[in-house]
Amino acid sequence: LKCVAEHFPNPSESRQLIGAMAHSADQPWAEATLQPVDWSSVERVPFQRKFLDLPSAESWDADVKRQALNIRIEDQGSLAAAPAPASTFEEL
């Protein structure tokens, strides 16, 4: 619930959302009612998407990594080469 307060700095919005979360936790999904959000009044942190750079040629170890993880590419579409599976978040 602390993260709710961080994302919604307005105290009344935080309390309202936390109360709604606590109330809906006791209800099955079919019975839960969602309150509309006025996004114009909510301060949001901007973010920028970053897509992976696609390789122009298959790396020598990409297929070895895929085999170790039981990954099989069935259709690469128009890609010349598919990137190797990422091992760490830093690679992304």
Side-chain angles (χ1 to χ4, degrees):
L1 296 178
K2 178 184 174 191
C3 67
V4 170
E6 291 170 0
H7 290 288
F8 294 92
N10 180 333
S12 66
E13 288 176 358
S14 295
R15 283 191 298 274
Q16 194 174 31
L17 186 58
I18 291 169
M21 289 170 56
H23 178 68
S24 65
D26 300 336
Q27 298 178 5
W29 282 103
E31 296 175 18
T33 53
L34 300 176
Q35 300 300 318
V37 177
D38 178 10
W39 290 108
S40 65
S41 67
V42 177
E43 184 179 341
R44 292 174 274 175
V45 179
F47 70 94
Q48 183 175 353
R49 292 183 178 142
K50 183 174 190 288
F51 295 99
L52 299 176
D53 295 326
L54 295 176
S56 58
E58 195 79 35
S59 69
W60 65 272
D61 66 337
D63 200 40
V64 173
K65 288 180 179 179
R66 286 189 207 105
Q67 287 177 359
L69 297 168
N70 289 326
I71 297 172
R72 185 180 77 195
I73 298 176
E74 295 181 2
D75 183 2
Q76 286 188 202
S78 62
L79 294 177
S87 301
T88 64
F89 284 110
E90 289 76 23
E91 290 180 53
L92 301 174

